[in-house]
Amino acid sequence: MVKVIEHKVSREVKAWLKKEAAEQKERYKKIVAEQEALSPKRDKWVADFLERIQSRGFNVHADMLRKIPAAEIPKKPRRKFKVVF
């Protein structure tokens, strides 16, 4: 059971919290917009990476390379690419 501690929050603190929340939402919107603008570049980066690991391969150990067959490459999901930050 959680014990709730009673406390009062002043008007100044409430105003500050409201202002901070609004500023954080604006920053979040800007970050999302920047990430969305990168989407075409990101798609190209992913495609280049997938092509590279299928043609050149990647290092398994020291100088041992393993090429990834197309069957092992996951399919691109239908949803938008989600960047977590």
Side-chain angles (χ1 to χ4, degrees), residues 11-28:
R11 273 188 247 137
E12 293 85 14
V13 171
K14 286 181 184 179
W16 181 83
L17 286 171
K18 188 174 180 179
K19 181 182 169 203
E20 276 297 307
E23 288 175 2
Q24 285 184 20
K25 285 179 185 177
E26 285 302 313
R27 284 192 296 270
Y28 176 79

Side-chain angles (χ1 to χ4, degrees), residues 33-46:
E34 288 173 6
Q35 292 298 321
E36 289 297 320
L38 277 177
S39 192
K41 284 184 180 180
R42 186 183 311 111
D43 290 342
K44 183 176 177 348
W45 295 336
V46 170

Side-chain angles (χ1 to χ4, degrees), residues 45-72:
W45 295 336
V46 170
D48 289 348
F49 169 74
L50 293 176
E51 189 275 326
R52 198 165 46 250
I53 64 171
Q54 290 178 68
S55 60
R56 282 184 47 209
F58 75 99
N59 286 59
V60 178
H61 178 72
D63 62 346
M64 293 173 40
L65 292 176
R66 176 180 182 265
K67 291 182 182 178
I68 307 298
E72 290 184 27

